[in-house]
Amino acid sequence: MASHNNTLHDNFDVDYVITYRFADTTKAEASRNFQDLVQALARVGLAIEVRNGENCSLLIFVKVTSDDRLNNAVYRSRVKDWLYGIRPAQPDRETQNSLTNQPLTEAERYRIVHHLITGPKEEGNAGIIPIHGQWKNVESIFPLHDHTFNKEWIKKWATVTFLKVEDLDEIRNRFGEKVAYYFAFTQSYFAFLIFPAAFGFSSWVLLGHFSSIYAIVNCLWSVVFIEYWKRQEVDLGVRWGVKGVSAIQEKRREFQHEKEIKDPITGETLQVFPATKRLYRQLLQLPFAVLASLALGVIIATCFGIEIFLSEVYSGPFKSILVFLPTLMLTALVPTITTILTEIATRLNDYENWETTDAYDSAMTQKIFILNFITSYLPVFLTAFVYVPFGSLIVPYLDIFQLTARPFAGNEKQLATPKSGFTINPARLRKQVIYFAVTAQIVNFAMETIVPYLKRQGFHKYQELKTERAAKKGGAAPNAAANDLPEEAQFLARVRSEAELDVYDVSTDLREMVVQFGYLTLFSVVWPVTAVSFLINNWVELRSDAVKICVEMQRPTPHRADSIGPWLDSLGFLTWIGSISTAALVYLFSNDGLGPDGTPADIKGWALLLTIFFSEHIYLVVCLAVRLALSKMDSPGMQKAHAERFMVRKRYFEESFGEDAMELPPPMDREKITRSSLEEEARQGSVRSSTPQDHFWLRQRSWEESAKIGAGLIEKMAPAETKKHQ
């Protein structure tokens, strides 16, 4: 474990920091809950140190008390992996040999310790879930950033174009497989974009818009990429030792079973919720999808109609300003309605009573994808399949939107909609696609990087002004850093800063990539240079996400995964829809990109349906062919899996098994803490060379002392207005 100590030297060997917030709790209750918290941590073998935090909070530093305790937990975790078929061979019963053969990564250590803190009590863990039940004062649990590694990582990425598999290994070893899979996917997507970018630019120059050749090649590329990524997931899963890890499901604490049955194979008692009953509850997704489509669709369609009226019908004053009214309406209404629908989706997901966290997250992702699909793609669908084909029929009925411009119009002629002779704007669709391919990507980048920075700086400034105002009135809380020891001051200042950062959610970044992929498969035939924009954006995105994790967010807890989860299904769905929409767009706009000139009579319904039918079936055949071709090709991951299975079989033939093959190493005896033992430990500590880490962890010698000091800090730091329970 010495390497780990060297790695975390700047972090004083801290494994996790727990933020305990008591602003809205009475002092007596806060002290009582805090004592329960440190006692629960001590029971599972964690050392504790308490320091002041910002804004009525305490920082609780925890680490595993001994290497033997950690090794025991690591052994149990690896045996569990073996039982579920994730590991091909049983771990060596000598834990030290096991760690020597397969060294403990930083991510695995943090994952094990996090499970000790948050895992169920019945499994020997502390069972501490932030903002849940009796732990409502626990605001967050996070590991500390390794700033030395972060600086080297960002500097290295700024000088390379493509990430090597060793770079992905490094991400996995630091941040866990879930984050590593995101970077692996984005890297693969970025590399694959080189072909459609080059071919799309050539098509734009030589073939023009709505090229059937480009449409066919783009659909084929989408299928190949999806099937390639499926293989890549397997290879990475084997390389990282997590293939099949989704079989280890973490049961949700909110799960409510209706009956208990005995597993006929293992004999274990299982808590069961009837699948048919859950299916009935899942049927509520249908009205939810209808509700979401209506709520968001009506808003987007209304703003779409207003924008058409103001930009192509209205001819009065302030037109250049009024055309931004629909955008302002969308900016104000869509996020609000989306938030409401997300809350409904969350409650519906809770009602479905999923047993495991993975199943719950997968169902929630599907619901969120519906909302993203509507908000992201509906405006372009309206332009492509409503405005252009049927503009001449719709525009005369836009009189209802005269109210938006009437106060500014000089006369009625400026508001009158043409009853005949209206000509559509064929460039409108291309401008929309260009906006989503270029402008929207720049806006998203600013929202991800610049806005959080400004938000954080503004929050700090607000806190400073608030403190100054309170100080003038004599009611300011004491400065959190007032009593910091000089050797700890810089470290504690950094920890307090990290405690205020947001929590990183890799699903947000995955969702962004999936939405972008959707624009490429659905609408790039309108503007073939779309892939060029995405190629440039994703090079920047890979680096900006690394900076975001290192600077803008708390260090993520390293969770395991063997894929990008339900987002893979979303990619497949978008590819299928893309085969249909691309064929329809090529048919509708094959007239040199001008469309049917706003005359629906030029559209043959049977021809459109036949085009879609053949396109979809060709897509299905291509999918099958590509999948079959890739299955015949071997890969490093599959070769490694075959080699591991062979070695396991060889070992089983060479060895014989006893009845105690699955017996765990003997647990450590709990050391009884006495005055004499503490004095002896202090004497031994004085003999050893002292380091900043030693001093940090010797301030408080037991959980009782930490509880006492924490109660004193709560009494001292709590402002007068928090004395009453709110």
Side-chain angles (χ1 to χ4, degrees):
M1 307 306 292
S3 61
H4 175 75
N5 291 335
N6 294 334
T7 303
L8 295 184
H9 178 83
D10 293 337
N11 287 336
F12 286 8
D13 289 346
V14 172
D15 284 322
Y16 274 88
V17 179
I18 301 176
T19 305
Y20 183 85
R21 188 83 59 183
F22 52 88
D24 298 330
T25 309
T26 61
K27 291 183 179 180
E29 184 181 0
S31 298
R32 185 171 58 254
N33 292 343
F34 178 78
Q35 180 172 336
D36 293 339
L37 175 61
V38 295
Q39 190 173 3
L41 294 170
R43 282 200 183 106
V44 296
L46 296 175
I48 303 160
E49 285 287 329
V50 181
R51 300 293 188 272
N52 272 336
E54 298 284 358
N55 305 318
C56 300
S57 68
L58 297 178
L59 299 176
I60 306 170
F61 299 89
V62 299
K63 73 168 184 176
V64 180
T65 54
S66 68
D67 290 346
D68 288 338
R69 288 181 183 274
L70 178 63
N71 293 345
N72 199 317
V74 171
Y75 181 83
R76 290 175 180 273
S77 174
R78 292 182 176 182
V79 167
K80 186 176 182 180
D81 288 349
W82 177 59
L83 287 172
Y84 280 88
I86 299 170
R87 289 179 175 271
Q90 177 189 358
D92 196 314
R93 296 184 61 220
E94 291 292 335
T95 54
Q96 195 57 49
N97 292 341
S98 177
L99 291 173
T100 301
N101 296 333
Q102 187 173 4
L104 183 68
T105 66
E106 192 171 301
E108 186 177 10
R109 176 188 175 102
Y110 282 136
R111 178 175 59 83
I112 295 295
V113 178
H114 185 266
H115 187 68
L116 283 175
I117 298 173
T118 62
K121 289 183 179 179
E122 54 270 20
E123 296 179 7
N125 304 303
I128 299 170
I129 304 298
I131 318 177
H132 185 275
Q134 71 177 112
W135 311 119
K136 61 182 180 180
N137 296 106
V138 177
E139 185 176 75
S140 61
I141 303 174
F142 63 95
L144 294 175
H145 279 293
D146 183 346
H147 289 266
T148 302
F149 166 78
N150 289 351
K151 290 179 182 178
E152 294 176 354
W153 186 33
I154 295 173
K155 182 179 179 180
K156 178 181 179 181
W157 278 33
T159 60
V160 298
T161 302
F162 295 98
L163 303 181
K164 300 178 181 178
V165 69
E166 290 78 14
D167 297 324
L168 298 175
D169 291 341
E170 194 171 34
I171 297 173
R172 175 251 179 177
N173 293 339
R174 294 280 178 167
F175 303 112
E177 289 81 9
K178 200 165 189 178
V179 174
Y181 263 112
Y182 163 70
F183 280 96
F185 170 77
T186 306
Q187 165 67 23
S188 298
Y189 179 38
F190 169 75
F192 259 75
L193 277 174
I194 295 176
F195 173 76
F199 185 77
F201 182 80
S202 302
S203 298
W204 179 62
V205 174
L206 302 175
L207 303 177
H209 307 290
F210 304 99
S211 165
S212 58
I213 297 177
Y214 174 83
I216 294 172
V217 172
N218 187 62
C219 289
L220 178 62
W221 171 87
S222 301
V223 173
V224 172
F225 170 67
I226 296 297
E227 296 301 324
Y228 166 81
W229 173 248
K230 290 179 181 178
R231 296 271 295 182
Q232 188 72 2
E233 281 188 340
V234 175
D235 281 355
L236 290 174
V238 174
R239 181 182 181 88
W240 294 337
V242 292
K243 184 175 180 294
V245 76
S246 55
I248 301 180
Q249 301 274 332
E250 182 180 348
K251 183 168 290 188
R252 295 177 61 240
R253 303 194 176 211
E254 297 83 359
F255 172 70
Q256 298 177 352
H257 66 282
E258 286 195 353
K259 60 181 179 179
E260 294 183 351
I261 63 173
K262 182 168 291 188
D263 191 311
I265 299 176
T266 64
E268 297 177 329
T269 300
L270 303 178
Q271 297 177 340
V272 177
F273 182 78
T276 53
K277 193 169 185 177
R278 181 178 291 115
L279 178 61
Y280 292 147
R281 295 185 179 187
Q282 285 181 272
L283 292 177
L284 293 176
Q285 293 184 28
L286 297 178
F288 169 76
V290 173
L291 173 65
S293 301
L294 288 176
L296 292 172
V298 168
I299 292 174
I300 293 174
T302 300
C303 293
F304 178 81
I306 294 174
E307 201 274 331
I308 293 291
F309 175 81
L310 293 176
S311 62
E312 302 189 25
V313 176
Y314 177 66
S315 59
F318 303 106
K319 177 175 180 176
S320 59
I321 299 176
L322 289 175
V323 291
F324 292 102
L325 178 62
T327 302
L328 295 175
M329 292 176 62
L330 285 174
T331 303
L333 294 176
V334 170
T336 303
I337 299 300
T338 302
T339 301
I340 296 174
L341 291 173
T342 301
E343 179 63 25
I344 295 175
T346 302
R347 295 189 178 186
L348 178 59
N349 221 43
D350 293 338
Y351 180 65
E352 291 171 0
N353 193 27
W354 295 100
E355 182 177 0
T356 64
T357 302
D358 288 347
Y360 179 89
D361 292 341
S362 178
M364 190 66 196
T365 298
Q366 293 171 359
K367 296 176 179 63
I368 296 299
F369 177 74
I370 295 175
L371 303 181
N372 293 332
F373 188 91
I374 297 171
T375 56
S376 300
Y377 308 130
L378 184 58
V380 186
F381 274 120
L382 286 174
T383 298
F385 300 112
V386 177
Y387 166 73
V388 176
F390 307 105
S392 59
L393 299 178
I394 295 174
V395 169
Y397 296 96
L398 296 180
D399 292 342
I400 188 175
F401 298 124
Q402 291 181 0
L403 295 175
T404 58
R406 186 174 296 278
F408 308 98
N411 52 65
E412 290 295 326
K413 291 183 179 180
Q414 297 174 347
L415 298 170
T417 55
K419 301 302 179 184
S420 61
F422 172 76
T423 304
I424 63 170
N425 177 14
R428 179 183 178 83
L429 177 60
R430 186 167 62 255
K431 289 179 179 179
Q432 271 191 303
V433 174
I434 293 174
Y435 167 78
F436 286 113
V438 180
T439 309
Q441 302 298 314
I442 297 175
V443 172
N444 288 337
F445 174 78
M447 294 296 292
E448 283 188 359
T449 56
I450 301 175
V451 171
Y453 173 79
L454 296 177
K455 179 182 175 182
R456 192 170 67 254
Q457 294 299 319
F459 176 77
H460 287 320
K461 188 65 177 177
Y462 167 76
Q463 290 295 335
E464 291 176 3
L465 295 175
K466 184 179 178 181
T467 302
E468 291 177 2
R469 191 179 301 113
K472 292 179 181 179
K473 297 180 180 180
N479 185 3
N483 298 320
D484 289 350
L485 296 172
E487 60 267 28
E488 297 178 2
Q490 185 176 1
F491 168 69
L492 292 177
R494 179 161 57 85
V495 175
R496 292 183 184 115
S497 176
E498 290 187 28
E500 300 296 331
L501 298 177
D502 293 330
V503 178
Y504 177 67
D505 182 8
V506 69
S507 297
T508 302
D509 288 335
L510 274 171
R511 176 185 61 81
E512 182 182 341
M513 287 294 103
V514 170
V515 169
Q516 184 195 99
F517 179 82
Y519 285 119
L520 188 61
T521 58
L522 294 172
F523 309 117
S524 64
V525 70
V526 178
W527 191 54
V529 194
T530 298
V532 177
S533 174
F534 289 166
L535 182 68
I536 299 172
N537 174 84
N538 290 354
W539 187 92
V540 177
E541 187 75 20
L542 275 167
R543 279 94 194 144
S544 66
D545 285 340
V547 174
K548 179 173 65 175
I549 292 176
C550 296
V551 179
E552 303 291 340
M553 300 287 177
Q554 292 179 355
R555 180 173 180 169
T557 299
H559 296 294
R560 292 197 296 180
D562 55 6
S563 72
I564 60 173
W567 293 112
L568 184 59
D569 296 330
S570 301
L571 291 171
F573 176 78
L574 289 172
T575 305
W576 171 65
I577 292 293
S579 68
I580 295 175
S581 67
T582 300
L585 287 170
V586 170
Y587 170 76
L588 290 174
F589 297 91
S590 57
N591 180 25
D592 295 327
L594 299 177
D597 297 326
T599 54
D602 293 343
I603 302 175
K604 302 296 188 294
W606 63 268
L608 177 61
L609 292 176
L610 196 62
T611 301
I612 293 174
F613 175 82
F614 278 113
S615 174
E616 181 188 21
H617 281 69
I618 291 174
Y619 159 79
L620 296 175
V621 172
V622 170
C623 275
L624 183 62
V626 171
R627 191 174 299 133
L628 183 63
L630 289 177
S631 67
K632 301 296 182 182
M633 300 171 59
D634 211 347
S635 64
M638 300 305 295
Q639 291 175 358
K640 182 180 178 181
H642 295 327
E644 287 177 343
R645 284 197 294 268
F646 172 77
M647 293 304 297
V648 169
R649 288 194 296 268
K650 182 179 179 182
R651 179 181 174 184
Y652 285 172
F653 275 115
E654 293 176 350
E655 296 181 357
S656 60
F657 293 91
E659 294 182 358
D660 61 344
M662 281 303 300
E663 183 180 346
L664 290 171
M668 287 191 59
D669 295 331
R670 288 187 175 273
E671 182 181 353
K672 187 176 181 180
I673 300 177
T674 63
R675 183 180 183 86
S676 59
S677 66
L678 291 177
E679 291 175 350
E680 175 63 19
E681 185 179 349
R683 189 185 67 80
Q684 293 293 336
S686 64
V687 175
R688 297 191 303 265
S689 60
S690 297
T691 64
Q693 301 97 296
D694 295 331
H695 285 300
F696 181 83
W697 289 103
L698 290 175
R699 304 291 180 196
Q700 299 155 21
R701 304 305 301 270
S702 66
W703 72 265
E704 291 94 341
E705 187 175 350
S706 296
K708 183 178 179 180
I709 292 177
L713 292 174
I714 291 173
E715 179 67 27
K716 181 180 179 181
M717 299 298 294
E721 59 267 24
T722 62
K723 291 181 179 180
K724 294 182 180 180
H725 180 69
Q726 303 193 15

